[in-house]
Amino acid sequence: MPIYNKPFETMPRKELGALQLKRLQATIERIYASVPFYRTSFTKAGITPQDIKSLADLQRLPFTTKLDLRDNYPYDMFAVPMEDVVRIHASSGTTGKPTVVGYTQNDINTWAELMARSFSAAGATRFDILHNAFGYGLFTGGVGAHYGAEKLGMAVIPVSGGNTKRQITIMQDFKPTILCGTPSYILHLSEVAEEMGVDFKDLHFKAGIFGAEPWTENMRTEIESKLHLKAIDIYGLSEVMGPGVSIECHEEQKGLHVFEDHFMVEIIDPETLEVLPPGETGELVFTSLTKEAFPVIRYRTKDITSLNPAPCSCGRTHIRMNKPSGRSDDMLIIRGVNVFPSQIESVLMETREISPHYQLVVDRKNNLDTLTVKVEIDEKSFSDDIKSLQAMETRISNNIKEHHGVSARVMLVEPKTIERSQGKAVRVIDNRKF
Ligand SMILES: [Zn+2]
């Protein structure tokens, strides 16, 4: 399969390191001069741009957090004057103000290139048609995928999220071959298709690029078997760029290649902030190397994963990050036990009789945390036999306890009673007051 930008994507590691250092030094020099936040934080750490002499010196730089971005709302982190900014996006803040990010024309061109590389890594070519069900708007998913697909030469159907029945009709009539969206919305799409009597086998998809929320290997198996396509994981966040920071190759589907000519990646221990060696699990941290309008230095993503430096059969030399297992701020602590929603999802997906739609409800009763796992029963296994349903609830609850050490009450609910997402799924409802 062709690699979109072979010289950069297969660059020997030594050469790549030299390129990274040159780009890192230029970035540090630029933001030291143009962003008061960075100049102040570097000065506090006793660092000037001249101190960055090797890639190891990156570790001397202070971290940047979402809170820093919020404190500089909306434009104070921008490193160029407003007349050079051609696009603004904002991340959906669940609490407080959103995070605002900007792009110059060069930034947009880079982003389009990295998304074109991503589509190519998923096996797409200019002969493909993209059904883009990522939301268009302030969210970076829709527009980000759109520009990259056009750059690769694909025909883009900018359908966005929602209006699901119409999407199925478009799939039948326009014959798209590549699908984009959040995994939870894609599952909803497949459910609506089933209701309409449409089998994905009769549609024309060969691959799908899914992301913007963590999803498990079991969810991948489910999507691949229901939609009859190869499901590829994509990663990105607006603070770092948007989708296309890293992507799985369709050859291996095992870890996402980080586009290291544009981003440096580290894994840190979120408690001690120490950089961890490859293979160890911790928080993912990114530094941008080419961004003009909104450079980020050691940005703490809160996403939990590990890095895999092993060579890949696809020929790309860029390091792979494993599929994020969750976000450190999504982590639930139930009576002192740490558990990620994705870990519960894994157990649920191993149970044949239930559907992949679930919600975790956390409450505090008499000062004790309780976790209720609401999960829909499969249409086919739905019965009025209360006894067998109760037995199934107990079995799933035991499995969760056995695998992850957390006590959960499992509640089977009727098919299609958990609200479907049009974008990112709401997996956790935490009613505890802190
Ligand atoms: Zn690969």
Side-chain angles (χ1 to χ4, degrees):
M1 254 320 194
I3 289 177
Y4 184 79
N5 190 335
K6 210 163 182 184
F8 282 93
E9 291 181 78
T10 63
M11 189 178 270
R13 297 291 308 174
K14 209 174 154 206
E15 221 175 295
L16 182 62
L19 177 72
Q20 285 184 317
L21 179 60
K22 205 174 79 190
R23 289 181 165 179
L24 177 66
Q25 286 168 329
T27 298
I28 299 297
E29 224 159 90
R30 223 155 30 77
I31 60 172
Y32 190 77
S34 57
V35 185
F37 166 81
Y38 284 118
R39 191 174 29 236
T40 309
S41 76
F42 291 178
T43 305
K44 261 194 215 154
I47 290 168
T48 65
Q50 289 70 41
D51 294 329
I52 306 300
K53 296 192 175 74
S54 73
L55 288 179
D57 289 329
L58 176 69
Q59 294 190 18
R60 299 176 58 192
L61 295 170
F63 293 101
T64 311
T65 64
K66 191 153 186 116
L67 198 62
D68 296 323
L69 307 188
R70 271 200 202 127
D71 286 346
N72 289 281
Y73 177 87
Y75 298 142
D76 286 353
M77 296 296 270
F78 285 19
V80 297
M82 211 56 192
E83 63 263 35
D84 294 336
V85 172
V86 300
R87 175 96 63 79
I88 288 165
H89 280 285
S91 74
S92 46
T94 41
T95 51
K97 291 213 161 80
T99 309
V100 180
V101 298
Y103 305 78
T104 64
Q105 188 57 56
N106 283 336
D107 292 334
I108 296 291
N109 297 347
T110 302
W111 188 11
E113 144 123 21
L114 299 189
M115 273 309 300
R117 289 186 192 179
S118 301
F119 281 114
S120 189
T125 70
R126 60 194 306 275
F127 296 100
D128 283 302
I129 301 174
L130 170 66
H131 184 103
N132 187 10
F134 274 132
Y136 281 65
L138 285 174
F139 169 57
T140 48
V143 189
H146 184 112
Y147 275 59
E150 283 187 352
K151 180 144 183 129
L152 185 61
M154 298 164 77
V156 185
I157 309 168
V159 67
S160 195
N163 218 335
T164 308
K165 280 190 177 150
R166 183 165 145 259
Q167 297 218 12
I168 305 292
T169 310
I170 287 174
M171 287 174 176
Q172 288 177 298
D173 296 348
F174 295 9
K175 303 184 171 49
T177 51
I178 305 286
L179 178 60
C180 270
T182 56
S184 56
Y185 183 62
I186 295 307
L187 278 172
H188 176 53
L189 259 172
S190 83
E191 203 174 52
V192 174
E194 207 178 304
E195 280 168 15
M196 290 168 72
V198 176
D199 190 335
F200 267 82
K201 242 192 273 173
D202 304 324
L203 299 179
H204 308 270
F205 291 113
K206 62 180 191 194
I209 293 185
F210 308 123
E213 59 191 18
W215 49 306
T216 55
E217 282 302 327
N218 289 334
M219 184 78 97
R220 189 206 303 271
T221 309
E222 174 100 20
I223 289 178
E224 290 193 330
S225 75
K226 278 197 165 146
L227 277 79
H228 300 274
L229 48 72
K230 192 171 259 218
I232 302 286
D233 192 10
I234 191 165
Y235 176 86
L237 64 172
S238 62
E239 297 93 317
V240 178
M241 180 179 76
V245 172
S246 65
I247 183 89
E248 284 177 340
C249 54
H250 74 276
E251 289 91 339
E252 296 244 334
Q253 286 177 291
K254 204 168 173 22
L256 298 85
H257 290 282
V258 176
F259 292 121
E260 286 184 283
D261 49 335
H262 293 276
F263 307 103
M264 285 192 68
V265 61
E266 300 169 278
I267 296 284
I268 62 162
D269 179 320
E271 302 295 326
T272 65
L273 307 183
E274 299 265 326
V275 175
L276 299 175
E280 283 190 30
T281 300
E283 181 179 344
L284 197 54
V285 171
F286 284 104
T287 298
S288 69
L289 295 174
T290 53
K291 281 174 80 189
E292 294 180 342
F294 195 87
V296 280
I297 302 300
R298 305 192 85 195
Y299 183 71
R300 293 184 57 182
T301 64
K302 305 270 183 196
D303 288 319
I304 302 294
T305 185
S306 58
L307 297 176
N308 172 13
C312 186
S313 66
C314 72
R316 288 174 184 82
T317 51
H318 294 183
I319 200 164
R320 281 176 284 172
M321 52 179 259
N322 290 312
K323 225 169 170 352
S325 58
R327 293 175 52 77
S328 61
D329 53 1
D330 277 356
M331 189 177 76
L332 294 170
I333 304 176
I334 310 292
R335 300 190 197 181
V337 180
N338 298 351
V339 65
F340 286 105
S342 60
Q343 294 176 315
I344 305 276
E345 181 186 301
S346 276
V347 174
L348 297 179
M349 301 292 289
E350 275 160 20
T351 312
R352 242 181 327 108
E353 301 91 338
I354 57 180
S355 82
H357 300 282
Y358 69 94
Q359 206 160 48
L360 312 181
V361 185
V362 187
D363 275 301
R364 182 167 287 165
K365 284 173 196 148
N366 305 324
N367 292 319
L368 275 183
D369 298 331
T370 61
L371 171 64
T372 306
V373 179
K374 281 187 181 176
V375 58
E376 285 179 15
I377 189 147
D378 202 75
E379 200 110 38
K380 292 174 209 95
S381 319
F382 187 62
S383 82
D384 291 327
D385 177 6
I386 305 257
K387 259 199 195 131
S388 72
L389 291 179
Q390 277 172 344
M392 204 191 303
E393 287 174 343
T394 308
R395 180 156 54 91
I396 299 169
S397 174
N398 288 344
N399 282 343
I400 293 172
K401 177 86 186 171
E402 192 178 312
H403 284 92
H404 303 296
V406 62
S407 305
R409 181 177 159 232
V410 174
M411 224 173 105
L412 293 172
V413 297
E414 283 181 40
K416 290 171 194 163
T417 49
I418 289 174
E419 201 188 331
R420 298 297 186 252
S421 82
Q422 304 293 321
K424 297 189 193 195
V426 180
R427 296 291 194 206
V428 179
I429 298 172
D430 196 335
N431 297 320
R432 291 175 295 185
K433 299 273 178 286
F434 289 101

Short mmCIF file of all heavy atoms in Angstrom, two decimals, residues 249 251-252 257 312-316 320, ligand 1:
data_model
loop_
_atom_site.label_atom_id
_atom_site.label_comp_id
_atom_site.label_asym_id
_atom_site.label_seq_id
_atom_site.Cartn_x
_atom_site.Cartn_y
_atom_site.Cartn_z
N CYS A 249 -2.00 1.83 11.23
CA CYS A 249 -1.88 1.43 9.82
C CYS A 249 -2.76 0.20 9.63
O CYS A 249 -2.93 -0.59 10.56
CB CYS A 249 -0.43 1.13 9.47
SG CYS A 249 0.36 -0.08 10.56
N GLU A 251 -2.20 -2.33 7.94
CA GLU A 251 -1.44 -3.57 7.88
C GLU A 251 -1.43 -4.27 9.23
O GLU A 251 -1.53 -5.49 9.31
CB GLU A 251 0.01 -3.31 7.45
CG GLU A 251 0.18 -2.91 5.99
CD GLU A 251 0.14 -1.40 5.79
OE1 GLU A 251 -0.41 -0.69 6.68
OE2 GLU A 251 0.62 -0.92 4.75
N GLU A 252 -1.26 -3.49 10.31
CA GLU A 252 -1.11 -4.10 11.64
C GLU A 252 -2.29 -3.84 12.56
O GLU A 252 -2.61 -4.67 13.40
CB GLU A 252 0.17 -3.59 12.31
CG GLU A 252 1.44 -3.99 11.56
CD GLU A 252 2.34 -4.90 12.37
OE1 GLU A 252 2.30 -4.85 13.61
OE2 GLU A 252 3.10 -5.67 11.74
N HIS A 257 0.66 5.11 14.87
CA HIS A 257 1.89 5.83 14.56
C HIS A 257 1.71 7.32 14.84
O HIS A 257 0.80 7.95 14.30
CB HIS A 257 2.24 5.67 13.06
CG HIS A 257 2.68 4.28 12.69
ND1 HIS A 257 3.94 3.80 12.96
CD2 HIS A 257 2.02 3.28 12.06
CE1 HIS A 257 4.04 2.56 12.50
NE2 HIS A 257 2.89 2.21 11.96
N CYS A 312 7.63 -1.46 12.52
CA CYS A 312 6.31 -1.91 12.07
C CYS A 312 6.41 -2.44 10.64
O CYS A 312 7.16 -1.90 9.83
CB CYS A 312 5.32 -0.75 12.15
SG CYS A 312 3.63 -1.22 11.77
N SER A 313 5.63 -3.46 10.35
CA SER A 313 5.70 -4.10 9.03
C SER A 313 5.24 -3.18 7.90
O SER A 313 5.52 -3.42 6.74
CB SER A 313 4.86 -5.38 9.02
OG SER A 313 3.49 -5.05 9.18
N CYS A 314 4.55 -2.08 8.23
CA CYS A 314 4.07 -1.18 7.18
C CYS A 314 5.21 -0.34 6.60
O CYS A 314 5.06 0.27 5.54
CB CYS A 314 2.97 -0.27 7.71
SG CYS A 314 3.57 1.01 8.84
N GLY A 315 6.33 -0.27 7.31
CA GLY A 315 7.47 0.50 6.81
C GLY A 315 7.62 1.87 7.45
O GLY A 315 8.66 2.52 7.31
N ARG A 316 6.59 2.33 8.16
CA ARG A 316 6.71 3.62 8.83
C ARG A 316 7.69 3.50 10.00
O ARG A 316 7.67 2.49 10.71
CB ARG A 316 5.34 4.10 9.34
CG ARG A 316 4.42 4.55 8.21
CD ARG A 316 3.01 4.88 8.71
NE ARG A 316 2.15 5.21 7.58
CZ ARG A 316 1.55 4.31 6.82
NH1 ARG A 316 1.71 3.02 7.05
NH2 ARG A 316 0.81 4.70 5.79
N ARG A 320 4.87 4.02 17.75
CA ARG A 320 3.44 3.78 17.92
C ARG A 320 3.03 3.98 19.38
O ARG A 320 3.76 3.63 20.29
CB ARG A 320 3.09 2.34 17.51
CG ARG A 320 3.00 2.18 16.00
CD ARG A 320 2.76 0.76 15.60
NE ARG A 320 3.96 -0.05 15.71
CZ ARG A 320 3.98 -1.38 15.56
NH1 ARG A 320 2.86 -2.03 15.31
NH2 ARG A 320 5.11 -2.03 15.66
ZN ZN B 1 2.56 0.45 10.81
#
